[in-house]
């Protein structure tokens, strides 16, 4: 993290279109902690806090994930219009709303809505975050390469997953329902903080429309002139289509 900060600070004095790289990496750590908080719980959360049997619960979770399958295509369209970074922020807000709903879910309908919100956030995030980091690297005056930024982001998220899982293990050791809900609200808070930090402190070049840079703040220093984000989003692999409560953390290539 110190190396990322140093490289950006020394090379970014000229006022590049991108800024906030170390903040972005830190926000991804917080985001990953929110994900990690739920990794040890899997479906146990709803089995513990609701009266829904495991069979119908599995159907609800699967249906919610099937409903979100088209999201990667929509992500490409949104990223082409607004830029990938705002889509990442929106995905984190969806995560946060979903985990708030987890804390209040007590029946089939509320469980389905909560899982759908989280699954939507997962798909939006993993369909846009690669492009957002690539956009940041393209607009940065840092000496770090795009691959190095991907490496820092991967390490940050891995650390966050581990920290979140450890915290969850400590919190729910006594098995009380309130402890489970506290984990849900804690995850929601992590995603809210990550979204706020990225929205306020991180900037990356936006898509180009008619020769003008959208959202870059630098009068036309926008994204590459090649394929649109939609095409890039479809080519870049999103997270595996697993249930958000399955305990399987997506891995970056």
């Amino acid at each position: 993290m110190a190396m990322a900060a140093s490289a950006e600070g020394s090379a970014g004095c000229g006022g590049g279109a991108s800024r906030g790289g170390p903040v972005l990496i830190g926000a991804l750590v917080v985001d990953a902690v929110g994900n990690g908080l739920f990794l040890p719980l899997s479906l146990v959360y709803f089995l513990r806090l609701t009266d829904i049997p495991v069979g119908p619960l599995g159907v609800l979770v699967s249906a919610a994930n099937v409903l979100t399958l088209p999201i990667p295509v929509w992500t490409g369209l949104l990223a082409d219009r607004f830029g990938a970074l705002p889509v990442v922020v929106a995905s984190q807000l969806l995560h946060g709303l979903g985990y708030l709903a987890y804390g209040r879910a007590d029946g089939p309908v509320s469980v389905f809505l909560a899982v759908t919100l989280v699954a939507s956030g997962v798909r939006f995030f993993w369909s846009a975050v690669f492009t957002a980091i690539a956009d940041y690297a393209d607009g940065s005056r840092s000496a770090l390469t795009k691959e190095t930024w991907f490496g820092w982001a991967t390490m940050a998220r891995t650390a966050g997953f581990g920290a979140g899982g450890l915290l969850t293990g400590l919190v729910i050791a006594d098995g009380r329902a309130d402890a489970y809900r506290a984990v849900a609200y804690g995850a929601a808070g992590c995603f809210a903080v990550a979204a706020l930090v990225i929205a306020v402190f991180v900037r990356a070049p936006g898509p180009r429309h008619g020769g003008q840079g959208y959202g870059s703040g630098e009068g036309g220093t926008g994204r590459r002139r090649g394929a649109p984000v939609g095409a890039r989003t479809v080519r870049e692999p999103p997270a595996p289509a697993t249930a958000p409560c399955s305990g399987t953390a997506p891995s970056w290539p």
Side-chain angles (χ1 to χ4, degrees):
M1 191 79 68
M3 185 180 76
S6 175
E8 184 181 60
S10 62
C13 297
S18 296
R19 65 177 173 85
V23 176
L24 174 61
I25 299 301
L28 290 179
V29 173
V30 178
D31 176 290
V33 170
N35 274 307
L37 286 172
F38 259 79
L39 289 183
L41 295 183
S42 188
L43 295 177
V44 175
Y45 181 88
F46 290 122
L47 290 174
R48 174 68 177 82
L49 297 184
T50 71
D51 296 325
I52 306 173
V54 65
L57 181 58
V59 171
L60 287 172
V61 171
S62 298
N65 278 270
V66 169
L67 186 65
T68 64
L69 285 176
I71 283 180
V73 176
W74 302 338
T75 303
L77 297 174
L78 290 171
D80 282 338
R81 178 66 181 89
F82 301 106
L85 200 63
V87 176
V88 170
V89 172
S91 75
Q92 292 170 326
L93 294 176
L94 279 175
H95 273 100
L97 289 174
Y99 284 124
L100 282 177
Y102 267 51
R104 303 184 65 85
D106 57 3
V109 174
S110 56
V111 167
F112 179 79
L113 291 176
V115 174
T116 299
L117 283 171
V118 172
S120 298
V122 168
R123 294 195 188 278
F124 274 118
F125 181 86
W126 289 103
S127 297
V129 68
F130 297 100
T131 305
I133 295 175
D135 288 345
Y136 176 85
D138 286 343
S140 175
R141 296 183 182 274
S142 170
L144 298 182
T145 64
K146 191 180 302 183
E147 289 73 20
T148 302
W149 283 112
F150 280 131
W152 277 105
T154 301
M155 289 188 293
R157 289 190 60 79
T158 301
F161 279 129
L166 178 62
L167 288 172
T168 295
L170 296 175
V171 168
I172 66 171
D174 60 2
R176 290 182 298 173
D178 288 343
Y180 281 81
R181 292 191 178 91
V183 170
Y185 293 139
C190 286
F191 284 109
V193 169
L196 178 63
V197 168
I198 292 177
V200 173
F201 296 107
V202 181
R203 293 293 180 269
R208 297 177 65 92
H209 296 289
Q212 298 296 321
Y214 184 90
S216 67
E218 294 294 323
T221 51
R223 185 181 283 110
R224 62 209 61 77
R225 292 181 176 84
V229 178
R232 288 164 49 81
T233 300
V234 172
R235 290 200 303 268
E236 291 169 340
T242 55
C245 303
S246 65
T248 303
S251 60
W252 287 26

